[in-house]
């Protein structure tokens, strides 16, 4: 199967980072196809950028529709997730969504540790319906840059964040955001509960969904659009709204 | 004050319809400025189109930033509402948001009657935190086309929808969606509870917010973006992400 | 329009304070009519006093029914709000309700800072259905008396409360209670998020509701009482329960 | 022990009805003391009347403070319940509250059948925190008058309401409102689930609370008022607000 | 009436402790019948032990079915509560359930103080539907052993826990768990809010339920099992599943 | 990997049915190990049987601990799920849990169709925190026996149930319970939305969890029991409670 690792940021380095993490857990038959939008924010760090990026990532997906068997949204905001799920003929999973659902399978309540602000995570988890499973949201005071400059110091801060999440009732902890993506294997040995990585969980959930061979719905709120007109959109995307393949 | 009536659909006729409705309730000093995105879906009728339209409407807003005193999102999905609120230096209100909050001021629980699907309304109302105030969601089986062909028949169906909403506990009823926009004044006399129109409520709420002279936040999740880089976005929008005015 | 600023406390000085705040934001055509109940608690500071005051404030409203176009309940507990809304032929808004709804229009989540206990605010916000929008409730350890004796010290404490609310995720902060009523303009310059004042918000929301010309419901839970008998109530109130005008 | 059966309506016949129901289940040592407010609505049937009645019933309670060991609010709206609990030195229970809590002890989810409107029951149950335990709210289309004219027909309608509540998932059914008060014993034999009567449950819960000898709190939101001034209230009530006994 | 105090642990000393506490509050006509399961965990302190104990306690109940008038589950986890309620022909109440419902009758929000972990209490309270009534969950860092070795020190820690619960908004505080069972009377004098003990509350709630003479449901989710086959269960339990008496 | 398909009923035919369904979707390297408890209810159809079965299924799991890599609870009630997750050193998933989480990945809201009562499903879904994702619960009026006698008629009824779930807002529908287990592939072609089968979803989720190599927690509410004493339990189970392997 071909699994699209679709970034919603336009920074290709992040795409590569996520694609590498995806390859590390992919089953032998799973081919990772990295993809980066041609337009949009370099790195999504605000509500405005996230909303803008919806268009870019859906344009990107439309270009791959019919040529991939599954889509992982490799962006911590699960940008345009439900829209992508409606648009695409194949399964779509978001990396934070994946981490949350995997966390629920190994913990009664879970925590999430990330760099900086936690509000959008709180909202995304509420949208997934999982607020009652959330024990702790910890924003570590560190920047991606600091990760390069002082990896030990940052690791220590994240480890403290994990400890706080456990103290607040977490049976499992999600490391949220691309900046923390590579850290799980390194921090796991010293952590008392399972650490979840959205890319890893997402790849495996998509392998599951493909294996289950669930059909595209022809009714309900995720039925593919058809007969919809538009102005100024890329060909592939406009075609999909009209009901053609991408 | 200049009040931007920003459509998120690219169909100018809808913009004009909404602008007319806005003018009908605007205070003497309020100038209605209609605006339609240059790209995006003709009429938003799916999750995918709504996510795509986020970019178009934010691009549109960026072009008017600094030149308007308030923004009404004239689209029933409140497309990109929180993002617009973060991006813009002035107050932003969505038409369904406006109708819901106005309904809460005249009813303990409210209903919403619209054409077709109700799921996205349910989700939007949940996002606004008002699920416990929602008594009834009624999807009338009619199309905008039918409104032209058989206005009497459609009005009868909507009136039945209102009656059902009242029977299910609504003290006030929102007429949702652009297709129902003009109907409130016509249906009100035969309706036992107040009928709410999002455009009218939105204009008045924005006049209120402008009058209150609340400052743009310099902290929190709605602080304006700054120092954010992007690729391939229109100048005005890219400039705002970098922290300049639009 | 005539806007009744109805206190539910019997302390006229508070009524005057609120009426002044109302005049400061009222539109040119809005005439502020202050009113104080003839019986009831001097200052509501407990559940018992709030319940007792319901009668006094409704008696007061009945005396003005038909002679005013809108009613602002100038009491932080939104005393008898839904009852007043049912009883009166015109729009009624509570000052804390108004502040909450205005806060939701400028923030994703909001905080509330007040003197002393916060439990009744928590309950009132839950009743409004807005618990998921509430980020922080801060009870400042100060008294109204202290405000007179050491205004600087109190302002510092409130500013610290605002800072804590922002740190806990508030995009906007309500200053709750009459004792804090005048402080918003003074504290706003040093505050990183908008400060909401219930009197100001309430006046503008009522101007909106009057402008929208929504009819009194003839069905639902807010239909005016009629044919109801009573014992020992003031004439105007008894008459309204029987279905006459106040 | 002396148990005050305090009506919040001014109709003495209802008080007597409730007192009789209370005597029927009271333990040998429990003396039922019926009491009716001297002023207020004849029969509470609206939000406005309920708010007005708060004053009357608290005035009534203040007159009995110190002379009774427990208070049952014999009114289906649990009028002024939390206020009464704060004011009085002894336990206070509302009849609908009592029925709900008793229902939770014999059913996983419960239903409520009443005459007429159900909205205020929905709100009261939400206030008690029990919305997730509520399976069904059924408003029977009948009037208290009809109960006298056609008792068989009304009983049949109530029985149908019970059947519907059971079909909707109720393990127990509350008969709500004074008009249904006497019906439980008569309808129970033909009902497949336990029928709860608020007066009966309330008397027994109060006997429990008196037996547990729990102290009056000296902290928290139910601490008795003290040092509170007022205008125009009855002596006993004004005295209690000042911190004296009633 | 005969009231079964059914432990779900196999440690008879705990049963005796609970039975003593039950006798201390039982009405003259209430005979306390202590019972301990013949198999299962010595002391339930984990999810696994609690699930295992369900079988033991239901086996125990089946042996007493028909010979007792009420059952108190004398275990802080309310082990197998709903199952027991379905199985038994008489009322069944859990000790934490009892404490929570009693707390709701004397406080708007309540707290719970216990030794060690609080997560299972949080879940149990959510199951009872009372999350919105819970103000504070405090896990005191002490062990049952410490209670014997340093009773003064432990009492001090619990008192601090109570103070914290009150500061966080509790109007009443539950002392959770068998280890704290005997402490309420001793700690009450120095505590500013009522302290609730699950055994005491449970005995009185059961006396209430027996007095109300509510019938066993013949429909709904608590209808007794009948016609159910099983393998390897004790005779009495197997007989009850088939529909016979225990 | 060895995947234990653990029934909680003692009816081996159901175990075999589930094991067959598991084999149909298992990856090549996944060996299905069916297992049936030695004691307990033949078929769980009540709260009482479910609580009793907790012991049987945990005893069964203990016997396999260390010899299997994953456990699927092949019982629609997810019997003893959290307890099993705590007890076992390997991942554990319940079949209804699996279906719910898979449904959330392909639908915004989902429905569940089953034979007979729906209350325990409602409760289980609430426990998983997914109530806001549940659009519809449909209890089809049919029995397992009918499935054998009139498979066409039953299939028609289930199809009607699916149609109702879709009409009520479901984007995906779970076929709940063992009796419906085999039906998904047969009914899918005529169904407009994906049909979810808990066994299939569970096998794939467990393959994912094993692939993710998450460690057993050494802290939190799912830390394995140790040092726990017990009476009369099977050796393997008692050993695990003491902290040994099963």
């Amino acid at each position: 199967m071909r699994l699209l690792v679709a970034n919603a940021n336009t920074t290709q380095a992040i795409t590569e980072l996520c694609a590498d993490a995806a390859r590390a857990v992919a089953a032998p038959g799973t081919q990772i196809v990295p993809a980066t939008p041609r337009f949009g924010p370099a790195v999504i760090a605000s509500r405005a950028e996230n909303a803008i990026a919806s268009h870019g990532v859906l344009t990107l997906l439309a270009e791959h529709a019919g040529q991939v068997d599954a889509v992982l949204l490799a962006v911590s905001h699960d940008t345009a997730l439900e829209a992508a799920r409606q648009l695409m003929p194949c399964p779509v999973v978001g990396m934070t969504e994946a981490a949350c659902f995997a966390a629920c399978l190994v913990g009664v309540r879970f925590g999430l540790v990330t760099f900086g602000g936690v509000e959008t995570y709180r909202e995304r988890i509420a949208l997934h319906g999982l607020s009652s499973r959330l024990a702790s949201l910890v924003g570590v005071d560190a920047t991606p840059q600091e990760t390069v400059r002082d990896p030990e110091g940052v690791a220590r801060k994240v480890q403290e964040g994990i400890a706080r999440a456990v103290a607040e009732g977490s049976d499992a902890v999600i490391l949220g955001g691309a900046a923390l993506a590579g850290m799980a294997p390194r921090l796991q040995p010293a952590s008392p509960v399972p650490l979840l990585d959205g890319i890893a969980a997402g790849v495996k959930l998509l392998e599951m969904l493909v294996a289950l061979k669930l059909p595209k719905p022809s009714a309900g709120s995720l039925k593919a659009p058809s007969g919809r007109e538009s102005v100024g959109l890329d060909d592939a995307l406009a075609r999909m709204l009209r009901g053609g393949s991408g």
Side-chain angles (χ1 to χ4, degrees), chain A residues 152-170:
Chain A
E152 294 303 307
V154 167
R156 208 161 38 238
K157 284 185 186 176
V158 174
Q159 207 62 269
E160 286 166 13
I162 293 168
R164 183 176 138 203
V166 171
E168 290 177 2
S170 306

Side-chain angles (χ1 to χ4, degrees), chain A residues 54-80:
Chain A
S54 293
H55 180 198
V57 74
L58 290 175
T59 299
L60 182 69
L61 296 196
E63 289 161 6
H64 289 84
Q67 301 164 39
V68 294
D69 302 293
V71 175
L72 176 60
L73 295 177
V75 51
S76 62
H77 304 266
D78 291 350
T79 308

Side-chain angles (χ1 to χ4, degrees), chain A residues 17-72:
Chain A
L17 198 81
C18 293
D20 286 349
R23 279 185 205 105
V25 299
T30 300
Q31 184 190 345
I32 299 303
V33 182
T36 311
R38 273 174 300 103
F39 62 93
V43 177
I44 301 171
S46 65
R47 297 174 189 281
E49 289 165 292
N50 195 39
I52 294 166
S54 293
H55 180 198
V57 74
L58 290 175
T59 299
L60 182 69
L61 296 196
E63 289 161 6
H64 289 84
Q67 301 164 39
V68 294
D69 302 293
V71 175
L72 176 60

